[in-house]
Amino acid sequence: MRQTFSLLSALALLLALACAPARAQELQVVAAENFYGDLAQQLGGPQVRVASILVNPEQDPHLFEASVSTARLLKQAQLVVYNGLHYDPWMEKLLKAAQSPQRKVLIAADLVQARSTDNPHLWYQPAYMVSVAKALSQQFQTLDPAHSAAYASRLDAFLQSMTALSSRISTMKSKYAGLPVTATEPVFGYMAEALGLQMRNAGFQLSIMNDTEPRVSDVIQLEQDLRTRSVRVLFFNSQASNRAARKIQKLALAAHIPVVGVTETLPAGKHYQDWMLDQLAALDAGLAKDRP
Ligand SMILES: [Zn+2]
Protein backbone atom coordinates (compact mmCIF):
# COMPACT_ATOMS: atom_id res chain seq x y z
CA MET A 1 0.00 0.00 0.00
CA ARG A 2 2.81 2.37 0.93
CA GLN A 3 4.55 1.53 -2.29
CA THR A 4 1.40 2.34 -4.27
CA PHE A 5 1.13 5.62 -2.44
CA SER A 6 4.71 6.68 -3.16
CA LEU A 7 4.30 5.65 -6.78
CA LEU A 8 1.19 7.80 -6.97
CA SER A 9 2.94 10.76 -5.35
CA ALA A 10 5.83 10.37 -7.75
CA LEU A 11 3.37 10.38 -10.63
CA ALA A 12 1.60 13.42 -9.21
CA LEU A 13 4.91 15.22 -8.86
CA LEU A 14 5.89 14.38 -12.44
CA LEU A 15 2.51 15.59 -13.64
CA ALA A 16 2.87 18.80 -11.65
CA LEU A 17 6.32 19.38 -13.14
CA ALA A 18 5.08 18.71 -16.65
CA CYS A 19 2.15 21.09 -16.20
CA ALA A 20 4.06 23.77 -14.30
CA PRO A 21 3.70 27.06 -16.13
CA ALA A 22 6.92 28.40 -17.60
CA ARG A 23 8.50 31.23 -15.66
CA ALA A 24 6.02 34.04 -15.87
CA GLN A 25 8.53 36.59 -17.15
CA GLU A 26 9.33 34.58 -20.28
CA LEU A 27 7.14 35.21 -23.30
CA GLN A 28 6.04 31.95 -24.93
CA VAL A 29 6.63 32.13 -28.66
CA VAL A 30 5.84 29.51 -31.30
CA ALA A 31 7.32 29.77 -34.80
CA ALA A 32 6.01 27.53 -37.55
CA GLU A 33 9.43 27.59 -39.24
CA ASN A 34 12.81 27.62 -37.47
CA PHE A 35 14.17 30.67 -39.37
CA TYR A 36 11.38 32.78 -37.86
CA GLY A 37 12.09 31.06 -34.53
CA ASP A 38 15.75 32.06 -34.82
CA LEU A 39 14.70 35.63 -35.52
CA ALA A 40 12.39 35.64 -32.49
CA GLN A 41 15.17 34.29 -30.27
CA GLN A 42 17.69 36.86 -31.52
CA LEU A 43 15.20 39.66 -30.85
CA GLY A 44 13.74 38.31 -27.63
CA GLY A 45 16.91 37.08 -25.92
CA PRO A 46 16.44 35.65 -22.42
CA GLN A 47 13.00 37.26 -22.14
CA VAL A 48 11.42 34.79 -24.57
CA ARG A 49 11.12 31.05 -24.89
CA VAL A 50 10.83 29.99 -28.52
CA ALA A 51 9.55 26.70 -29.89
CA SER A 52 9.95 26.10 -33.61
CA ILE A 53 7.86 23.47 -35.35
CA LEU A 54 9.57 22.91 -38.72
CA VAL A 55 13.13 22.04 -37.74
CA ASN A 56 13.88 18.72 -39.41
CA PRO A 57 16.26 19.19 -42.35
CA GLU A 58 15.30 15.73 -43.67
CA GLN A 59 11.67 16.66 -44.08
CA ASP A 60 9.91 18.43 -46.95
CA PRO A 61 8.13 21.35 -45.24
CA HIS A 62 5.57 21.51 -48.06
CA LEU A 63 4.32 18.06 -47.02
CA PHE A 64 4.40 18.54 -43.23
CA GLU A 65 1.49 17.35 -41.06
CA ALA A 66 1.13 18.75 -37.56
CA SER A 67 0.76 16.63 -34.42
CA VAL A 68 -1.15 16.88 -31.15
CA SER A 69 1.91 18.23 -29.32
CA THR A 70 2.02 21.10 -31.81
CA ALA A 71 -1.57 21.99 -30.96
CA ARG A 72 -0.69 21.98 -27.25
CA LEU A 73 2.24 24.34 -27.83
CA LEU A 74 -0.02 26.76 -29.70
CA LYS A 75 -2.58 26.73 -26.92
CA GLN A 76 0.06 28.05 -24.48
CA ALA A 77 1.72 30.53 -26.81
CA GLN A 78 1.45 34.29 -26.33
CA LEU A 79 2.90 35.02 -29.76
CA VAL A 80 2.79 32.87 -32.88
CA VAL A 81 4.62 33.58 -36.13
CA TYR A 82 4.18 31.70 -39.37
CA ASN A 83 4.82 32.17 -43.08
CA GLY A 84 1.42 31.95 -44.79
CA LEU A 85 0.98 31.71 -48.59
CA HIS A 86 -0.04 28.02 -48.30
CA TYR A 87 3.44 27.13 -47.07
CA ASP A 88 2.09 26.09 -43.67
CA PRO A 89 -1.66 25.55 -44.13
CA TRP A 90 -1.70 23.28 -41.05
CA MET A 91 -1.00 26.35 -38.90
CA GLU A 92 -4.31 28.06 -39.69
CA LYS A 93 -6.20 24.85 -38.94
CA LEU A 94 -4.42 24.38 -35.62
CA LEU A 95 -4.91 27.98 -34.56
CA LYS A 96 -8.63 27.65 -35.24
CA ALA A 97 -8.79 24.38 -33.31
CA ALA A 98 -6.77 25.71 -30.34
CA GLN A 99 -8.47 29.08 -29.75
CA SER A 100 -6.76 31.40 -27.30
CA PRO A 101 -8.01 34.99 -26.99
CA GLN A 102 -4.75 36.47 -25.60
CA ARG A 103 -2.54 35.01 -28.30
CA LYS A 104 -1.05 37.37 -30.91
CA VAL A 105 -0.42 36.01 -34.39
CA LEU A 106 2.03 37.38 -36.97
CA ILE A 107 1.84 36.14 -40.57
CA ALA A 108 4.93 36.99 -42.63
CA ALA A 109 2.96 37.03 -45.90
CA ASP A 110 0.60 39.69 -44.50
CA LEU A 111 3.42 41.78 -43.04
CA VAL A 112 5.09 42.06 -46.45
CA GLN A 113 1.76 42.37 -48.30
CA ALA A 114 2.43 39.34 -50.47
CA ARG A 115 -0.13 38.40 -53.11
CA SER A 116 -1.63 34.91 -53.01
CA THR A 117 0.29 33.82 -56.13
CA ASP A 118 3.69 35.01 -54.87
CA ASN A 119 6.60 32.65 -54.25
CA PRO A 120 6.05 31.41 -50.66
CA HIS A 121 9.77 31.25 -49.76
CA LEU A 122 9.63 34.80 -48.36
CA TRP A 123 12.57 34.41 -45.98
CA TYR A 124 14.96 34.34 -48.94
CA GLN A 125 14.25 38.06 -49.33
CA PRO A 126 16.28 39.77 -46.56
CA ALA A 127 14.09 42.90 -46.76
CA TYR A 128 11.09 40.75 -45.84
CA MET A 129 12.97 39.33 -42.84
CA VAL A 130 13.62 42.88 -41.70
CA SER A 131 9.84 43.55 -41.81
CA VAL A 132 9.16 40.40 -39.79
CA ALA A 133 11.90 41.34 -37.30
CA LYS A 134 10.43 44.80 -36.75
CA ALA A 135 6.94 43.36 -36.22
CA LEU A 136 8.25 40.73 -33.77
CA SER A 137 10.16 43.34 -31.78
CA GLN A 138 7.10 45.58 -31.68
CA GLN A 139 5.00 42.71 -30.31
CA PHE A 140 7.62 41.86 -27.67
CA GLN A 141 7.66 45.47 -26.53
CA THR A 142 3.86 45.57 -26.32
CA LEU A 143 3.55 42.23 -24.51
CA ASP A 144 6.45 42.90 -22.13
CA PRO A 145 6.90 46.69 -21.78
CA ALA A 146 9.23 46.28 -18.78
CA HIS A 147 11.95 45.05 -21.16
CA SER A 148 11.22 47.47 -23.99
CA ALA A 149 14.73 48.92 -24.07
CA ALA A 150 16.34 45.48 -24.28
CA TYR A 151 14.06 44.48 -27.20
CA ALA A 152 14.79 47.75 -29.00
CA SER A 153 18.56 47.35 -28.67
CA ARG A 154 18.38 43.75 -29.90
CA LEU A 155 16.44 44.93 -32.94
CA ASP A 156 19.19 47.49 -33.62
CA ALA A 157 21.83 44.76 -33.33
CA PHE A 158 19.87 42.56 -35.72
CA LEU A 159 19.47 45.33 -38.30
CA GLN A 160 23.19 46.08 -37.97
CA SER A 161 24.08 42.42 -38.60
CA MET A 162 21.91 42.39 -41.72
CA THR A 163 24.17 44.99 -43.36
CA ALA A 164 26.81 42.26 -43.91
CA LEU A 165 24.20 40.37 -45.91
CA SER A 166 23.10 43.36 -47.98
CA SER A 167 26.66 44.38 -48.80
CA ARG A 168 27.46 40.83 -49.92
CA ILE A 169 24.36 40.90 -52.13
CA SER A 170 25.31 44.19 -53.76
CA THR A 171 28.91 43.06 -54.37
CA MET A 172 27.70 39.87 -56.02
CA LYS A 173 25.03 41.74 -57.95
CA SER A 174 27.63 44.04 -59.48
CA LYS A 175 29.62 40.97 -60.60
CA TYR A 176 26.87 38.64 -61.78
CA ALA A 177 23.66 40.55 -62.61
CA GLY A 178 22.02 39.28 -65.77
CA LEU A 179 23.57 35.79 -65.72
CA PRO A 180 21.12 32.99 -66.54
CA VAL A 181 20.57 30.41 -63.77
CA THR A 182 18.06 27.69 -63.04
CA ALA A 183 16.68 25.67 -60.12
CA THR A 184 14.79 22.53 -59.21
CA GLU A 185 12.44 24.54 -56.98
CA PRO A 186 11.80 28.27 -56.42
CA VAL A 187 13.28 28.15 -52.90
CA PHE A 188 16.12 30.61 -53.74
CA GLY A 189 13.88 32.76 -55.99
CA TYR A 190 13.82 36.04 -54.04
CA MET A 191 17.56 35.97 -53.42
CA ALA A 192 18.25 35.28 -57.10
CA GLU A 193 16.06 38.29 -57.89
CA ALA A 194 17.92 40.45 -55.36
CA LEU A 195 21.18 39.42 -57.07
CA GLY A 196 19.80 40.40 -60.47
CA LEU A 197 20.18 36.84 -61.80
CA GLN A 198 18.01 35.74 -64.69
CA MET A 199 16.04 32.75 -63.36
CA ARG A 200 14.86 30.24 -65.96
CA ASN A 201 12.44 27.26 -65.90
CA ALA A 202 9.83 28.66 -63.51
CA GLY A 203 7.21 26.12 -64.65
CA PHE A 204 9.35 23.12 -63.79
CA GLN A 205 10.18 24.62 -60.38
CA LEU A 206 6.52 25.17 -59.50
CA SER A 207 5.66 21.55 -60.31
CA ILE A 208 8.41 20.27 -58.02
CA MET A 209 7.33 22.67 -55.26
CA ASN A 210 3.72 21.50 -55.50
CA ASP A 211 4.83 17.86 -55.71
CA THR A 212 3.15 17.39 -59.08
CA GLU A 213 4.52 15.84 -62.25
CA PRO A 214 6.30 18.51 -64.33
CA ARG A 215 4.99 19.14 -67.85
CA VAL A 216 6.94 17.37 -70.59
CA SER A 217 7.67 20.69 -72.33
CA ASP A 218 9.08 22.13 -69.07
CA VAL A 219 11.33 19.09 -68.60
CA ILE A 220 12.58 19.32 -72.19
CA GLN A 221 13.36 23.03 -71.82
CA LEU A 222 15.28 22.55 -68.57
CA GLU A 223 17.23 19.54 -69.86
CA GLN A 224 18.14 21.51 -72.96
CA ASP A 225 19.32 24.47 -70.84
CA LEU A 226 21.64 22.10 -68.99
CA ARG A 227 22.90 20.19 -72.01
CA THR A 228 23.61 23.35 -73.99
CA ARG A 229 25.11 24.98 -70.90
CA SER A 230 22.76 27.94 -71.19
CA VAL A 231 22.70 28.39 -67.42
CA ARG A 232 25.60 29.12 -65.07
CA VAL A 233 24.39 27.26 -61.97
CA LEU A 234 21.61 24.93 -60.86
CA PHE A 235 20.06 25.62 -57.45
CA PHE A 236 19.14 22.26 -56.00
CA ASN A 237 16.72 22.06 -53.08
CA SER A 238 18.58 19.51 -51.01
CA GLN A 239 15.75 19.29 -48.49
CA ALA A 240 12.70 18.74 -50.66
CA SER A 241 13.81 16.80 -53.71
CA ASN A 242 12.02 14.12 -55.66
CA ARG A 243 12.98 11.80 -58.49
CA ALA A 244 12.49 14.43 -61.23
CA ALA A 245 14.63 16.95 -59.32
CA ARG A 246 17.40 14.45 -58.65
CA LYS A 247 17.50 13.54 -62.33
CA ILE A 248 18.05 17.22 -63.13
CA GLN A 249 20.82 17.41 -60.54
CA LYS A 250 22.59 14.50 -62.26
CA LEU A 251 22.24 16.11 -65.67
CA ALA A 252 23.75 19.36 -64.37
CA LEU A 253 26.71 17.53 -62.85
CA ALA A 254 27.24 15.61 -66.09
CA ALA A 255 27.26 18.92 -68.00
CA HIS A 256 29.75 20.39 -65.48
CA ILE A 257 27.29 23.04 -64.35
CA PRO A 258 27.89 23.95 -60.69
CA VAL A 259 25.11 22.71 -58.40
CA VAL A 260 24.39 24.97 -55.42
CA GLY A 261 22.53 23.20 -52.64
CA VAL A 262 19.92 25.30 -50.85
CA THR A 263 17.59 24.31 -48.02
CA GLU A 264 14.06 25.22 -47.00
CA THR A 265 14.72 25.49 -43.27
CA LEU A 266 17.59 26.73 -41.16
CA PRO A 267 20.38 24.16 -40.61
CA ALA A 268 21.02 23.31 -36.94
CA GLY A 269 23.42 25.56 -35.06
CA LYS A 270 23.21 28.50 -37.46
CA HIS A 271 21.58 31.88 -37.37
CA TYR A 272 19.57 33.16 -40.32
CA GLN A 273 22.27 35.67 -41.34
CA ASP A 274 25.07 33.02 -41.41
CA TRP A 275 22.86 30.58 -43.30
CA MET A 276 22.22 33.12 -46.05
CA LEU A 277 25.88 34.20 -46.16
CA ASP A 278 27.02 30.55 -46.45
CA GLN A 279 24.66 29.92 -49.35
CA LEU A 280 25.81 33.13 -51.06
CA ALA A 281 29.44 32.02 -50.64
CA ALA A 282 28.62 28.69 -52.31
CA LEU A 283 26.84 30.52 -55.13
CA ASP A 284 29.75 32.96 -55.53
CA ALA A 285 32.13 30.01 -55.92
CA GLY A 286 29.82 28.42 -58.50
CA LEU A 287 29.36 31.57 -60.56
CA ALA A 288 33.04 32.45 -60.42
CA LYS A 289 33.96 29.19 -62.14
CA ASP A 290 35.17 29.71 -65.67
CA ARG A 291 33.10 27.86 -68.16
CA PRO A 292 35.33 25.19 -69.74
ZN1 LIG B 1 9.91 25.00 -50.94
Side-chain angles (χ1 to χ4, degrees):
M1 192 63 197
R2 220 168 88 199
Q3 216 165 10
T4 315
F5 175 77
S6 59
L7 186 66
L8 279 176
S9 0
L11 274 174
L13 182 66
L14 273 176
L15 205 66
L17 281 174
C19 303
R23 288 193 297 135
Q25 60 267 44
E26 280 179 341
L27 290 177
Q28 304 296 304
V29 182
V30 174
E33 295 83 14
N34 67 352
F35 35 83
Y36 295 132
D38 174 59
L39 214 59
Q41 193 65 72
Q42 288 189 48
L43 296 163
Q47 275 85 47
V48 305
R49 179 184 292 209
V50 182
S52 294
I53 299 169
L54 285 182
V55 292
N56 183 356
E58 304 300 320
Q59 187 170 40
D60 180 351
H62 294 275
L63 307 174
F64 175 79
E65 294 283 349
S67 65
V68 178
S69 61
T70 311
R72 207 176 299 130
L73 270 178
L74 287 174
K75 189 82 185 163
Q76 295 160 353
Q78 287 154 283
L79 181 61
V80 173
V81 54
Y82 69 98
N83 188 70
L85 281 183
H86 315 294
Y87 189 74
D88 36 22
W90 43 271
M91 200 55 159
E92 271 155 58
K93 277 184 237 158
L94 287 178
L95 286 172
K96 260 190 211 121
Q99 297 277 349
S100 167
Q102 281 90 34
R103 184 178 58 206
K104 295 269 178 280
V105 178
L106 291 179
I107 307 168
D110 292 353
L111 292 172
V112 305
Q113 295 171 319
R115 288 161 305 173
S116 62
T117 52
D118 282 350
N119 182 341
H121 305 92
L122 298 170
W123 56 100
Y124 270 85
Q125 169 53 270
Y128 289 167
M129 285 304 255
V130 165
S131 300
V132 177
K134 286 178 176 167
L136 277 170
S137 187
Q138 188 61 59
Q139 284 297 338
F140 290 157
Q141 294 182 47
T142 308
L143 290 166
D144 179 21
H147 295 101
S148 250
Y151 294 124
S153 83
R154 280 189 217 109
L155 177 62
D156 284 345
F158 173 79
L159 296 176
Q160 187 56 40
S161 75
M162 289 292 277
T163 57
L165 189 52
S166 43
S167 72
R168 180 85 198 231
I169 291 170
S170 57
T171 309
M172 285 178 67
K173 186 177 183 182
S174 62
K175 271 160 78 180
Y176 304 124
L179 289 183
V181 296
T182 194
T184 55
E185 209 211 320
V187 62
F188 199 77
Y190 289 108
M191 191 63 93
E193 210 176 297
L195 292 164
L197 299 172
Q198 183 206 326
M199 184 60 82
R200 296 174 56 86
N201 312 110
F204 180 92
Q205 296 179 43
L206 274 180
S207 306
I208 300 296
M209 179 180 94
N210 295 326
D211 211 36
T212 56
E213 200 61 40
R215 276 196 304 265
V216 174
S217 57
D218 287 341
V219 176
I220 290 173
Q221 182 59 61
L222 175 50
E223 291 187 359
Q224 194 182 325
D225 276 357
L226 297 173
R227 259 191 231 104
T228 57
R229 304 174 50 73
S230 307
V231 288
R232 293 288 300 270
V233 298
L234 168 76
F235 294 101
F236 177 70
N237 186 344
S238 51
Q239 187 168 358
S241 68
N242 63 11
R243 205 171 45 84
R246 284 192 294 272
K247 190 184 168 206
I248 292 301
Q249 180 196 25
K250 273 190 195 141
L251 272 178
L253 291 170
H256 303 287
I257 291 168
V259 174
V260 177
V262 291
T263 57
E264 298 268 348
T265 54
L266 181 66
K270 276 188 195 176
H271 287 303
Y272 169 78
Q273 299 93 315
D274 312 317
W275 176 37
M276 290 294 138
L277 284 169
D278 288 353
Q279 294 187 138
L280 285 173
L283 172 61
D284 205 345
L287 287 171
K289 266 186 196 154
D290 278 331
R291 302 215 284 163

Short mmCIF file of all heavy atoms in Angstrom, two decimals, residues 60-62 87 119-121 123 185-188 208-210 237 240 263-264, ligand 1:
data_model
loop_
_atom_site.label_atom_id
_atom_site.label_comp_id
_atom_site.label_asym_id
_atom_site.label_seq_id
_atom_site.Cartn_x
_atom_site.Cartn_y
_atom_site.Cartn_z
N ASP A 60 10.41 17.44 -46.00
CA ASP A 60 9.91 18.43 -46.95
C ASP A 60 8.82 19.25 -46.25
O ASP A 60 7.75 18.74 -45.97
CB ASP A 60 9.33 17.72 -48.17
CG ASP A 60 8.80 18.72 -49.20
OD1 ASP A 60 8.74 19.93 -48.88
OD2 ASP A 60 8.46 18.28 -50.30
N PRO A 61 9.10 20.53 -45.97
CA PRO A 61 8.13 21.35 -45.24
C PRO A 61 6.79 21.48 -45.96
O PRO A 61 5.76 21.65 -45.33
CB PRO A 61 8.81 22.72 -45.14
CG PRO A 61 10.26 22.43 -45.29
CD PRO A 61 10.34 21.28 -46.25
N HIS A 62 6.82 21.37 -47.31
CA HIS A 62 5.57 21.51 -48.06
C HIS A 62 4.61 20.35 -47.77
O HIS A 62 3.43 20.43 -48.06
CB HIS A 62 5.86 21.57 -49.56
CG HIS A 62 6.61 22.80 -49.97
ND1 HIS A 62 5.99 23.99 -50.24
CD2 HIS A 62 7.93 23.01 -50.15
CE1 HIS A 62 6.91 24.89 -50.59
NE2 HIS A 62 8.09 24.33 -50.52
N TYR A 87 2.23 27.87 -47.42
CA TYR A 87 3.44 27.13 -47.07
C TYR A 87 3.19 26.26 -45.85
O TYR A 87 3.73 25.16 -45.72
CB TYR A 87 4.59 28.10 -46.79
CG TYR A 87 5.93 27.42 -46.64
CD1 TYR A 87 6.59 26.92 -47.75
CD2 TYR A 87 6.51 27.26 -45.39
CE1 TYR A 87 7.82 26.29 -47.63
CE2 TYR A 87 7.74 26.63 -45.26
CZ TYR A 87 8.38 26.15 -46.38
OH TYR A 87 9.60 25.52 -46.26
N ASN A 119 5.71 33.70 -54.74
CA ASN A 119 6.60 32.65 -54.25
C ASN A 119 6.54 32.62 -52.71
O ASN A 119 6.78 33.65 -52.07
CB ASN A 119 8.02 32.99 -54.74
CG ASN A 119 9.06 31.95 -54.36
OD1 ASN A 119 8.86 31.16 -53.45
ND2 ASN A 119 10.18 31.97 -55.07
N PRO A 120 6.22 31.45 -52.12
CA PRO A 120 6.05 31.41 -50.66
C PRO A 120 7.36 31.48 -49.87
O PRO A 120 7.32 31.71 -48.66
CB PRO A 120 5.35 30.08 -50.41
CG PRO A 120 5.73 29.22 -51.56
CD PRO A 120 5.88 30.15 -52.74
N HIS A 121 8.50 31.31 -50.51
CA HIS A 121 9.77 31.25 -49.76
C HIS A 121 10.24 32.67 -49.42
O HIS A 121 11.33 33.10 -49.81
CB HIS A 121 10.84 30.51 -50.57
CG HIS A 121 10.40 29.13 -51.00
ND1 HIS A 121 9.80 28.89 -52.21
CD2 HIS A 121 10.46 27.94 -50.36
CE1 HIS A 121 9.52 27.59 -52.31
NE2 HIS A 121 9.90 26.99 -51.20
N TRP A 123 11.39 34.17 -46.82
CA TRP A 123 12.57 34.41 -45.98
C TRP A 123 13.86 34.49 -46.80
O TRP A 123 14.89 34.84 -46.27
CB TRP A 123 12.67 33.33 -44.89
CG TRP A 123 12.71 31.93 -45.43
CD1 TRP A 123 13.82 31.15 -45.59
CD2 TRP A 123 11.60 31.14 -45.88
NE1 TRP A 123 13.47 29.93 -46.12
CE2 TRP A 123 12.12 29.90 -46.31
CE3 TRP A 123 10.21 31.36 -45.97
CZ2 TRP A 123 11.30 28.88 -46.82
CZ3 TRP A 123 9.40 30.35 -46.48
CH2 TRP A 123 9.95 29.13 -46.89
N GLU A 185 13.61 24.04 -57.71
CA GLU A 185 12.44 24.54 -56.98
C GLU A 185 12.66 26.03 -56.70
O GLU A 185 13.80 26.46 -56.56
CB GLU A 185 12.29 23.78 -55.65
CG GLU A 185 10.84 23.69 -55.19
CD GLU A 185 10.71 23.65 -53.68
OE1 GLU A 185 11.52 22.98 -53.02
OE2 GLU A 185 9.79 24.30 -53.17
N PRO A 186 11.59 26.82 -56.57
CA PRO A 186 11.80 28.27 -56.42
C PRO A 186 12.25 28.71 -55.03
O PRO A 186 12.03 29.85 -54.63
CB PRO A 186 10.42 28.86 -56.76
CG PRO A 186 9.45 27.78 -56.47
CD PRO A 186 10.16 26.49 -56.74
N VAL A 187 12.91 27.82 -54.28
CA VAL A 187 13.28 28.15 -52.90
C VAL A 187 14.20 29.38 -52.82
O VAL A 187 14.04 30.24 -51.96
CB VAL A 187 13.87 26.92 -52.17
CG1 VAL A 187 15.13 26.41 -52.81
CG2 VAL A 187 14.10 27.20 -50.70
N PHE A 188 15.13 29.51 -53.76
CA PHE A 188 16.12 30.61 -53.74
C PHE A 188 15.63 31.82 -54.55
O PHE A 188 16.36 32.80 -54.72
CB PHE A 188 17.44 30.09 -54.33
CG PHE A 188 18.66 30.90 -53.98
CD1 PHE A 188 19.26 30.81 -52.73
CD2 PHE A 188 19.25 31.76 -54.91
CE1 PHE A 188 20.40 31.55 -52.41
CE2 PHE A 188 20.39 32.50 -54.60
CZ PHE A 188 20.96 32.38 -53.34
N ILE A 208 7.68 20.97 -59.08
CA ILE A 208 8.41 20.27 -58.02
C ILE A 208 7.94 20.78 -56.65
O ILE A 208 7.70 19.99 -55.73
CB ILE A 208 9.93 20.47 -58.17
CG1 ILE A 208 10.42 19.93 -59.52
CG2 ILE A 208 10.69 19.81 -57.02
CD1 ILE A 208 10.26 18.44 -59.71
N MET A 209 7.78 22.10 -56.54
CA MET A 209 7.33 22.67 -55.26
C MET A 209 5.98 22.10 -54.85
O MET A 209 5.76 21.78 -53.69
CB MET A 209 7.24 24.20 -55.35
CG MET A 209 6.76 24.86 -54.08
SD MET A 209 6.66 26.66 -54.23
CE MET A 209 4.95 26.88 -54.67
N ASN A 210 5.08 21.98 -55.81
CA ASN A 210 3.72 21.50 -55.50
C ASN A 210 3.62 19.98 -55.52
O ASN A 210 2.53 19.43 -55.40
CB ASN A 210 2.71 22.10 -56.48
CG ASN A 210 2.63 23.61 -56.32
OD1 ASN A 210 2.78 24.13 -55.22
ND2 ASN A 210 2.42 24.32 -57.42
N ASN A 237 17.32 22.10 -54.42
CA ASN A 237 16.72 22.06 -53.08
C ASN A 237 17.09 20.74 -52.44
O ASN A 237 16.51 19.71 -52.73
CB ASN A 237 15.20 22.22 -53.20
CG ASN A 237 14.52 22.34 -51.85
OD1 ASN A 237 15.12 22.01 -50.82
ND2 ASN A 237 13.30 22.80 -51.85
N ALA A 240 13.98 19.20 -50.14
CA ALA A 240 12.70 18.74 -50.66
C ALA A 240 12.86 18.31 -52.11
O ALA A 240 12.35 18.93 -53.02
CB ALA A 240 11.66 19.85 -50.55
N THR A 263 18.56 25.02 -48.85
CA THR A 263 17.59 24.31 -48.02
C THR A 263 16.39 25.19 -47.70
O THR A 263 16.46 26.41 -47.76
CB THR A 263 18.22 23.83 -46.69
OG1 THR A 263 18.75 24.96 -45.99
CG2 THR A 263 19.30 22.81 -46.93
N GLU A 264 15.30 24.53 -47.36
CA GLU A 264 14.06 25.22 -47.00
C GLU A 264 14.20 25.85 -45.61
O GLU A 264 13.86 27.00 -45.41
CB GLU A 264 12.90 24.22 -46.93
CG GLU A 264 12.58 23.53 -48.23
CD GLU A 264 11.52 24.26 -49.03
OE1 GLU A 264 10.87 25.17 -48.50
OE2 GLU A 264 11.35 23.91 -50.21
ZN ZN B 1 9.91 25.00 -50.94
#
